Amino acid sequence: MMQDTLTNPTTEAGTTAITNTSKPKLGFLGVGWIGRNRMEVIAQHQVAEVTCISDTAPENCSAALATIPSAHAINSLDAILEQSEVEGVVIATPSAFHAAQTIASLEAGKAVFCQKPLGRNAAETKRVVAAARKADRLLGVDLSYRHTQAMQEVYKVVQSGELGHIYAVELVFHNAYGPDKAWFYDPKLSGGGCVIDLGVHLVDLALWALDFPEVQNVKSHLFAKGQPVTNPDEVVEDFATASMALGTGAHLQLSCSWNLPAGQEAIISATFYGTGGGVAFKNTNGSFYDFVAERYYGTRTERLCSPPDAWSGMAGVAWAERLAKGEGFNNEAEEYVKVAEVLDKIYGRYDAEG
Ligand SMILES: NC(=O)c1ccc[n+]([C@@H]2O[C@H](COP(=O)([O-])OP(=O)(O)OC[C@H]3O[C@@H](n4cnc5c(N)ncnc54)[C@H](O)[C@@H]3O)[C@@H](O)[C@H]2O)c1
């Protein structure tokens, strides 16, 4: 699967050479805000070679090319898939396109790293994971907060068993700005509001740390501009609260929002309480980027780690490293389906494909 390339001696024109060894070659589809960031971080870590870039907005494509001059622009996903040397496709388009673009890439024999959400619902997500399994290709989703140092510390504590019986999990993600692009507010393009945008990360973090227990009795309340949302396929929610019971006996409470008058830019946390104490992943000073891990003993707090932490984009780097090692499909991808099933329940959606 891996390509060996030598090269790029300094040209007569004097342009700087790219030294390359045996890094997978990648095509990038969608290089808006997050796609460009992920592309740059993968390139900076030199874990893969950015070969071609496609975006329906020419200005976004040009801006991305300006940072990776060795890459070339290409006009469609099909054109990326025709590049035999491209081993993996990194997708960061609006959410509605993720499932179809990922499936097309997998069926063309490419590995995929896709932005969250992988699908707008569990049925779409299942189809993508089935396609990855059939193609035996590595499928990664940008569940970026797993890769923060703070969440890594929390994961270790939860997994160690030192919290005893974990009976409560509190998850919070308030983005007091809300998205600045129109497509996020169209449920056909986004799949939903703050739950699918922010809640997806928190549900994933909680289930991942707890080894994906069964989730039962999901009860939720969705709001848009202060009014209850009764038709989430037509209106995106900007505030949601949900409670659920886990098969472990724990109770999980989720709150997330866009544009809440939160008094700060963001409030982000995942806190686990057990008979042996607590542990939390949380942002500091309202930041979207700075996180701490805290261990709680009764009224006492111990800080497990503090910023800085260059975590942004590291999920993509980890995926590219695995691709470079020649990894194919991994059963972990079924976790994306489990999270999507919980989100369906929060939205009151029924997976007709069961
Ligand atoms: N993992 C994370 O933490 C995280 C953070 C932010 C955003 N995201 C996800 O990333 C995705 C993109 O979000 P964004 O904020 O970067 O959006 P964006 O609008 O800035 O970027 C989307 C890009 O896709 C391009 N595009 C649209 N249709 C296309 C197509 N058919 N083919 C090629 N390019 C196309 C647009 O021109 C744009 O450049 C969303 O699904 C979002 O949920 C994930």
Side-chain angles (χ1 to χ4, degrees):
M1 286 174 71
M2 226 177 305
Q3 308 293 323
D4 277 328
T5 336
L6 276 181
T7 52
N8 316 338
T10 305
T11 64
E12 282 180 20
T15 46
T16 312
I18 294 172
T19 48
N20 200 3
T21 52
S22 57
K23 295 173 194 160
K25 293 181 191 298
L26 304 180
F28 284 75
L29 184 71
V31 281
W33 175 51
I34 213 74
R36 183 165 156 198
N37 168 273
R38 291 348 188 203
M39 183 195 76
E40 289 175 2
V41 175
I42 285 173
Q44 279 156 11
H45 281 77
Q46 303 190 356
V47 286
E49 189 183 334
V50 181
T51 303
C52 50
I53 300 172
S54 186
D55 195 299
T56 45
E59 65 279 15
N60 290 354
C61 201
S62 305
L65 279 170
T67 60
I68 317 274
S70 57
H72 65 276
I74 198 160
N75 63 12
S76 66
L77 173 60
D78 285 347
I80 295 179
L81 300 183
E82 282 166 15
Q83 310 289 306
S84 56
E85 80 276 13
V86 167
E87 264 190 77
V89 182
V90 178
I91 297 172
T93 54
S95 305
F97 305 136
H98 292 175
Q101 291 170 337
T102 301
I103 290 172
S105 304
L106 292 163
E107 287 178 346
K110 315 296 187 191
V112 175
F113 181 70
C114 186
Q115 274 311 311
K116 59 78 192 163
L118 186 54
R120 284 169 295 181
N121 49 49
E124 273 191 358
T125 310
K126 276 183 199 166
R127 285 198 285 275
V128 182
V129 174
R133 183 183 289 281
K134 187 167 175 211
D136 190 15
R137 287 296 179 269
L138 184 64
L139 173 63
V141 174
D142 196 353
L143 296 164
S144 41
Y145 299 94
R146 284 195 193 190
H147 295 263
T148 57
Q149 191 193 352
M151 192 59 212
Q152 294 282 327
E153 292 294 330
V154 166
Y155 182 85
K156 273 190 263 172
V157 171
V158 171
Q159 289 277 314
S160 73
E162 67 185 72
L163 296 183
H165 171 56
I166 296 175
Y167 54 88
V169 182
E170 289 176 350
L171 306 173
V172 179
F173 201 145
H174 298 307
N175 170 352
Y177 292 120
D180 57 357
K181 279 146 267 189
W183 67 260
F184 275 92
Y185 298 90
D186 176 351
K188 304 271 179 304
L189 290 176
S190 57
C194 58
V195 171
I196 203 157
D197 182 36
L198 309 174
V200 63
H201 285 295
L202 299 173
V203 171
D204 173 71
L205 291 182
L207 298 187
W208 172 59
L210 296 168
D211 295 327
F212 284 86
E214 197 188 339
V215 178
Q216 307 149 341
N217 298 328
V218 178
K219 293 194 176 58
S220 63
H221 299 276
L222 309 180
F223 295 83
K225 300 194 187 328
Q227 298 304 314
V229 172
T230 51
N231 50 347
D233 291 336
E234 305 288 328
V235 177
V236 294
E237 76 288 354
D238 59 16
F239 180 86
T241 177
S243 63
M244 54 201 90
L246 303 182
T248 58
H251 177 264
L252 187 150
Q253 184 69 41
L254 163 73
S255 297
C256 58
S257 70
W258 292 339
N259 297 116
L260 194 74
Q264 52 200 301
E265 294 183 348
I267 305 174
I268 307 168
S269 64
T271 310
F272 299 77
Y273 296 105
T275 49
V279 69
F281 160 79
K282 57 191 272 199
N283 68 328
T284 55
N285 303 320
S287 169
F288 284 99
Y289 301 102
D290 292 336
F291 293 93
V292 296
E294 291 176 345
R295 178 78 167 85
Y296 303 138
Y297 304 85
T299 55
R300 187 169 64 82
T301 295
E302 181 189 320
R303 179 73 65 91
L304 300 179
C305 72
S306 303
D309 171 21
W311 58 276
S312 180
M314 291 311 288
V317 171
W319 168 84
E321 284 171 344
R322 292 172 69 174
L323 182 62
K325 287 183 193 145
E327 270 196 50
F329 179 76
N330 190 303
N331 268 328
E332 286 164 7
E334 296 294 348
E335 295 169 359
Y336 310 140
V337 175
K338 291 180 182 160
V339 172
E341 286 172 339
V342 174
L343 299 196
D344 269 9
K345 287 179 183 161
I346 292 174
Y347 281 116
R349 288 179 182 141
Y350 171 66
D351 176 4
E353 294 170 28

